[in-house]
Amino acid sequence: MSASVECIRDIGTAWKVIETAFSVTPTTGLRKDSNTTASATQSTLTTSMELQSALELLINHGVGHIIEEWFLEELRVHLQCRVAPVFTAHFNKELPPDTSVASYMCEVIQELYDSLAPYVLKLKQLEDLVNLYQIPTADNTDYSAVKNSTPTAKVSLLERAQTLFKAVLLPRYQLPERLYALVKRFYSAAMQVHHAIDDAVDKENDEEAGEGIRCLGCSSDADDCSCSNLTLAFRQINQQLYELDLLERFAGEAVTSVIHEKICSHVQHSCKGNFEVSYLRSLEHWLETKVVRWLSEVYRGSDACPRYSDPHVAASVEVYESRLHHLLYETYAAVRMEQLFNIIIEYPESEPAMLDLRRCLEKTNLRSQLVKSLKTALETRLLHPGVNTTDILTAYISGIRALRTLDPTGVILELVCEPVRKYLRTRDDTVRCIVSSLTDDSSGELADELIRGEPLLLEDSCQGEDDMFNWETWFPDPVDADPTKTSQSRRSSDIISMLVNIYGSKELFVNEYRTLLADRILSQFNYDTDKEIRYLELLKLRFGDSQLHYCEVMLKDVVDSKRMNALIHNAKLLGHQQMDPPINAMTLSAQFWPSFREDKLELPESIKRSLDSYTRNFETLKGNRTLCWKPHLGLVNLEIELKDRKVPVICSPVHATIIMHFQEQCSWTVDELSAVMHVPVSVLRRKITFWQSQGLLKEEKTDSFILIEEGSKGGRHDVHMIELEEEAESAMASSHDQREEELQVGGFALLASSHAVNNAYTQTQTPLS
């Protein structure tokens, strides 16, 4: 052994050799200069023989394990006293003027890297010696008993030092506010440059660029583009922070925030307001090719970087990628939930957006948030007095269709639409609107549902489950499903069944259909019943034959009335009495029809004589049956002959009576007409406005009207106008009046029954010229 080795006989000398070999001479600053490099080089001149002898001596004396602890303590003191204060000071002041974020960040991280690089070099040398000479360490003294069972539990010296870097330089996971803002600005600019370089549009702009065109990456003039410098700084900073194991602690939160904001802005810009195209797959492609690739550059670098092949980094990026996909689904779902009310209204054109949202709900936990958000939107935009019942029903039907696409189990539909059902029950015209839509070709959706002919499925009738018949495709209800309701009722109810279930009773709808059918017959006075018979047969498939028996009788009355009119107008009839003007009547079976609106009207004498003649002709044919006329119901075909023109009009008996009284005298007051016609003044004023609009009557003074024999050529002679007005006024009693009549008991009920026997037919007049 050489003389230098022979002199190492005691622990003190051996320790000086260790200190000389692994100490780093502290510098006055963090910047790397020639003195720092010379010091690092001088400290490595200790011969391997001396170092080997010193290590053997320390190991033999049982103090070899303190070498690592001493070195880490030296590193900690150096970090706390010299590195950390200078590093922190950079971010406690404003960014110097005329200095870009990229250059400033690059300078600060380079300074930090230069100050720690000598220690990293010594750490690797010391770790190599520890492994070579099997030097015991402090962390494996209690670890040897389980060494064979958990060989990966030992923490390397470099990992312990890197933990020390993070503990001293960045003691909190959340960066200081000023530092975080600076880091976020840097990575936001880096992402913008990365996307601009990748974008084909930018390449076209580069080819066609002229003076004054700004770069889409760095937002500078094309001549002063700094994208390449920023890209170099981006790669350098990431590599240096990676080597110090500070990349995730230093940049992780900012990178996540930048990516989150980019995803949100891209989703909003790409798909907001357009529901007819599916965007989810294109967004996933954008995420994988743009965002994830940039994220990979942050943590793994380019293909040429050594860290690119690091399996731990690759696994971390893969986990991060799955989180970004989840973030994309949450962001897209949040955007669509804000627009969900409009998506429902525009369904089925918006079905692609609904299918995208369905897929997002399967991958996220946003069902409860969606239900709450949609309930609020419905209550704010739909469930208030300013919206017509028809519009509410249209939105409800669209909601049924759309939410069944979103959630085939029907749970979301059940939770969201319950407030709509409750609100519709408070509206008096809900049942009428539903029945009208069922029997109206122009309504479309409900008429199509009626044609399908499926039987009603009421909630009370779903006592058992039929799921076992399809056990191979069965799947359980979601956890938020109402356990008191069956799965069958949620999944199998069609739209008409759900509308009927608003009230849970068929009778309401059947009675409303009776009223609607009666209104339709008495307002049109058309003996063609083919269309109504078709609707009736379709409704029987839904509600059953027994429920609609009365409606069958009503349609039969129409057919019988046509035949009866032909017989009565037959001059060969024994005892036939002429009618002038001629009368065509609709003869109705009183006990099968809903209650009529009871309005008083005193007809002109000529009309009353014709009605009496019709009654006697009817009694001749029917023997012991007679007619009870409803003079306010019907249509009158008039031809009004004036001095300069003839005006053909189809109007109601009230309108006809008003204008016929002007044959007797040219001027009437409202009070005089009211006394003669037995019609309230308020009703008369409203009815007279029709003749005013036709240019036949004029209000000479308040409530006093005169006949205009000569009118301007521009006068209105619209025959159809009165038909439109009369359609809005029902011939039947209101639902409130009908309920009151049904509640009458005792003597009045017997009187009504007797009347039904003795006066089996109620007559409405339809004088047709």
Side-chain angles (χ1 to χ4, degrees):
M1 186 175 290
S2 64
S4 60
V5 176
E6 291 177 357
C7 68
I8 303 178
R9 301 292 185 182
D10 59 84
I11 294 178
T13 304
W15 188 254
K16 287 186 178 296
V17 172
I18 298 297
E19 284 184 334
T20 303
F22 295 107
S23 63
V24 178
T25 303
T27 59
T28 57
L30 290 181
R31 295 188 180 277
K32 183 177 181 181
D33 53 25
S34 58
N35 294 332
T36 304
T37 306
S39 175
T41 305
Q42 181 65 32
S43 65
T44 61
L45 297 178
T46 306
T47 63
S48 60
M49 297 299 291
E50 289 178 327
L51 187 59
Q52 178 181 356
S53 178
L55 287 172
E56 290 176 350
L57 182 64
L58 291 174
I59 292 171
N60 291 335
H61 283 78
V63 293
H65 63 276
I66 68 172
I67 297 175
E68 285 189 5
E69 301 305 317
W70 163 78
F71 186 83
L72 291 175
E73 179 62 19
E74 287 287 311
L75 175 60
R76 186 189 65 79
V77 172
H78 180 68
L79 287 172
Q80 286 183 335
C81 297
R82 293 182 174 274
V83 179
V86 178
F87 177 72
T88 305
H90 283 297
F91 304 107
N92 289 332
K93 59 185 179 181
E94 296 293 335
L95 190 69
D98 301 327
T99 303
S100 67
V101 175
S103 61
Y104 186 73
M105 288 287 296
C106 194
E107 179 183 351
V108 172
I109 299 303
Q110 182 66 53
E111 199 174 81
L112 175 66
Y113 182 78
D114 291 342
S115 66
L116 297 179
Y119 280 95
V120 173
L121 179 62
K122 293 298 181 181
L123 279 167
K124 293 179 179 178
Q125 293 176 358
L126 179 58
E127 193 159 27
D128 290 341
L129 288 175
V130 169
N131 295 331
L132 179 62
Y133 291 100
Q134 298 295 314
I135 300 176
T137 57
D139 77 305
N140 69 358
T141 33
D142 297 329
Y143 160 76
S144 56
V146 291
K147 183 175 181 180
N148 293 331
S149 59
T150 56
T152 59
K154 183 178 178 180
V155 180
S156 68
L157 181 61
L158 181 59
E159 290 174 341
R160 295 175 65 192
Q162 290 171 340
T163 303
L164 198 58
F165 293 162
K166 289 182 278 190
V168 176
L169 297 175
L170 301 169
R172 293 181 297 175
Y173 278 97
Q174 188 174 7
L175 299 181
E177 185 177 350
R178 193 184 297 272
L179 173 59
Y180 173 75
L182 200 61
V183 175
K184 185 177 177 181
R185 280 178 59 190
F186 171 72
Y187 280 100
S188 179
M191 172 175 265
Q192 185 175 349
V193 169
H194 173 83
H195 282 226
I197 293 174
D198 272 357
D199 201 335
V201 177
D202 295 341
K203 294 180 181 179
E204 293 176 5
N205 289 338
D206 290 340
E207 293 173 3
E208 302 172 1
E211 293 186 4
I213 301 298
R214 299 184 68 83
C215 172
L216 298 179
C218 60
S219 300
S220 303
D221 291 339
D223 296 335
D224 298 328
C225 178
S226 59
C227 290
S228 57
N229 293 334
L230 196 149
T231 302
L232 290 175
F234 171 73
R235 291 174 178 171
Q236 176 185 321
I237 289 172
N238 290 335
Q239 181 62 32
Q240 291 174 342
L241 290 173
Y242 168 78
E243 293 179 11
L244 299 176
D245 197 30
L246 292 175
L247 182 57
E248 175 60 28
R249 181 71 69 89
F250 187 80
E253 185 180 0
V255 167
T256 301
S257 179
V258 168
I259 290 177
H260 192 178
E261 291 177 2
K262 184 66 177 178
I263 290 175
C264 290
S265 63
H266 184 77
V267 171
Q268 290 273 3
H269 181 265
S270 299
C271 59
K272 189 167 186 178
N274 189 351
F275 313 134
E276 299 179 7
V277 179
S278 174
Y279 286 98
L280 201 53
R281 293 196 181 278
S282 62
L283 289 173
E284 289 172 336
H285 177 74
W286 169 82
L287 183 73
E288 293 166 1
T289 56
K290 300 285 187 180
V291 179
V292 174
R293 200 167 88 178
W294 180 78
L295 178 69
S296 180
E297 281 203 26
V298 173
Y299 288 101
R300 301 180 66 187
S302 61
D303 298 349
C305 291
R307 60 191 170 114
Y308 187 83
S309 56
D310 187 338
H312 299 292
V313 177
S316 299
V317 171
E318 187 175 346
V319 172
Y320 210 140
E321 181 180 354
S322 66
R323 289 168 55 195
L324 289 182
H325 276 88
H326 188 268
L327 178 61
L328 175 68
Y329 297 136
E330 284 189 336
T331 304
Y332 183 84
V335 171
R336 286 309 192 205
M337 283 191 292
E338 291 177 0
Q339 309 160 345
L340 190 52
F341 181 83
N342 294 332
I343 293 174
I344 288 174
I345 296 300
E346 295 185 20
Y347 194 86
E349 287 78 9
S350 61
E351 185 176 10
M354 194 62 75
L355 292 174
D356 281 349
L357 182 57
R358 172 180 173 178
R359 188 166 164 226
C360 290
L361 289 183
E362 291 171 354
K363 297 177 179 291
T364 59
N365 188 27
L366 297 175
R367 285 174 61 96
S368 59
Q369 185 177 338
L370 180 143
V371 170
K372 183 178 179 181
S373 172
L374 185 54
K375 273 186 175 181
T376 302
L378 289 173
E379 291 172 0
T380 303
R381 302 179 62 178
L382 192 67
L383 307 183
H384 58 81
V387 184
N388 293 330
T389 303
T390 304
D391 295 334
I392 297 177
L393 285 171
T394 301
Y396 182 48
I397 293 169
S398 296
I400 293 172
R401 294 179 183 274
L403 294 178
R404 284 209 178 279
T405 300
L406 181 66
D407 176 26
T409 65
V411 174
I412 292 180
L413 173 63
E414 183 180 67
L415 295 174
V416 168
C417 290
E418 185 58 31
V420 182
R421 290 154 59 96
K422 288 182 179 178
Y423 184 79
L424 284 172
R425 281 197 290 268
T426 65
R427 292 222 170 183
D428 296 335
D429 58 342
T430 299
V431 178
R432 188 172 188 83
C433 289
I434 294 172
V435 175
S436 299
S437 299
L438 281 173
T439 56
D440 185 3
D441 291 334
S442 61
S443 65
E445 292 186 359
L446 280 183
D448 292 342
E449 285 289 324
L450 184 62
I451 293 173
R452 291 171 55 189
E454 296 180 2
L456 286 179
L457 181 63
L458 300 180
E459 290 178 351
D460 295 340
S461 64
C462 299
Q463 301 298 332
E465 293 284 351
D466 293 333
D467 293 330
M468 291 308 295
F469 290 106
N470 301 314
W471 61 270
E472 293 180 339
T473 59
W474 178 86
F475 55 94
D477 287 334
V479 294
D480 52 348
D482 186 352
T484 63
K485 297 185 179 179
T486 64
S487 175
Q488 182 187 2
S489 64
R490 275 192 295 266
R491 302 180 194 222
S492 302
S493 294
D494 65 339
I495 291 177
I496 296 180
S497 296
M498 294 196 69
L499 292 174
V500 174
N501 279 327
I502 292 176
Y503 293 91
S505 170
K506 296 180 183 180
E507 285 73 14
L508 281 173
F509 291 86
V510 171
N511 291 336
E512 187 60 43
Y513 174 67
R514 283 179 62 211
T515 303
L516 183 69
L517 179 62
D519 244 346
R520 197 172 289 169
I521 292 172
L522 299 182
S523 62
Q524 296 174 356
F525 284 91
N526 190 338
Y527 296 108
D528 185 7
T529 58
D530 292 344
K531 182 179 177 181
E532 298 299 341
I533 290 174
R534 173 175 171 269
Y535 283 131
L536 180 60
E537 293 301 322
L538 290 173
L539 288 170
K540 283 182 182 179
L541 297 176
R542 291 279 183 171
F543 296 94
D545 292 354
S546 60
Q547 298 279 346
L548 295 164
H549 173 64
Y550 280 18
C551 298
E552 284 186 293
V553 175
M554 291 165 63
L555 291 177
K556 184 176 181 297
D557 284 345
V558 176
V559 176
D560 292 344
S561 296
K562 181 179 181 181
R563 181 174 55 83
M564 181 61 64
N565 283 321
L567 292 173
I568 288 178
H569 287 286
N570 187 356
K572 297 179 180 180
L573 180 67
L574 182 63
H576 178 268
Q577 296 188 14
Q578 294 295 329
M579 293 169 286
D580 185 23
I583 301 293
N584 282 292
M586 190 79 74
T587 309
L588 311 179
S589 306
Q591 66 269 34
F592 292 99
W593 284 69
S595 301
F596 295 103
R597 189 182 76 248
E598 294 296 339
D599 291 342
K600 292 183 178 181
L601 176 63
E602 186 70 20
L603 296 172
E605 288 299 324
S606 60
I607 303 297
K608 290 167 68 174
R609 285 194 296 271
S610 292
L611 294 180
D612 292 339
S613 298
Y614 190 99
T615 302
R616 286 190 288 271
N617 289 335
F618 179 84
E619 291 171 347
T620 301
L621 288 171
K622 290 296 183 179
N624 62 343
R625 294 183 180 179
T626 188
L627 297 175
C628 178
W629 294 95
K630 299 293 182 183
H632 60 286
L633 301 178
L635 290 178
V636 182
N637 192 339
L638 291 177
E639 185 177 76
I640 303 173
E641 186 174 345
L642 302 170
K643 288 182 178 181
D644 61 343
R645 65 194 186 280
K646 292 182 179 180
V647 182
V649 179
I650 297 176
C651 59
S652 70
V654 177
H655 289 97
T657 303
I658 291 173
I659 201 66
M660 289 177 72
H661 279 296
F662 279 87
Q663 294 182 106
E664 303 170 7
Q665 60 187 57
C666 294
S667 176
W668 288 85
T669 65
V670 173
D671 292 333
E672 290 171 346
L673 278 176
S674 176
V676 172
M677 294 174 57
H678 299 172
V679 175
V681 172
S682 59
V683 175
L684 269 179
R685 287 197 186 99
R686 180 163 51 88
K687 298 296 184 180
I688 289 175
T689 56
F690 167 72
W691 296 117
Q692 290 180 278
S693 67
Q694 297 297 309
L696 297 179
L697 295 183
K698 178 182 178 182
E699 191 171 11
E700 187 178 27
K701 55 185 179 181
T702 304
D703 288 345
S704 179
F705 296 90
I706 61 172
L707 179 67
I708 302 175
E709 289 281 354
E710 297 180 2
S712 62
K713 294 184 179 180
R716 297 178 57 184
H717 310 299
D718 188 354
V719 177
H720 303 288
M721 185 170 187
I722 194 63
E723 296 179 3
L724 296 175
E725 180 188 357
E726 287 304 301
E727 284 180 357
E729 188 172 356
S730 173
M732 316 312 296
S734 67
S735 57
H736 178 268
D737 293 339
Q738 291 186 40
R739 283 194 297 268
E740 282 192 347
E741 183 177 342
E742 291 171 1
L743 291 175
Q744 300 300 318
V745 292
F748 185 82
L750 294 175
L751 179 62
S753 175
S754 173
H755 176 78
V757 173
N758 296 319
N759 300 285
Y761 293 94
T762 301
Q763 174 65 42
T764 63
Q765 65 148 343
T766 315
L768 298 177
S769 174

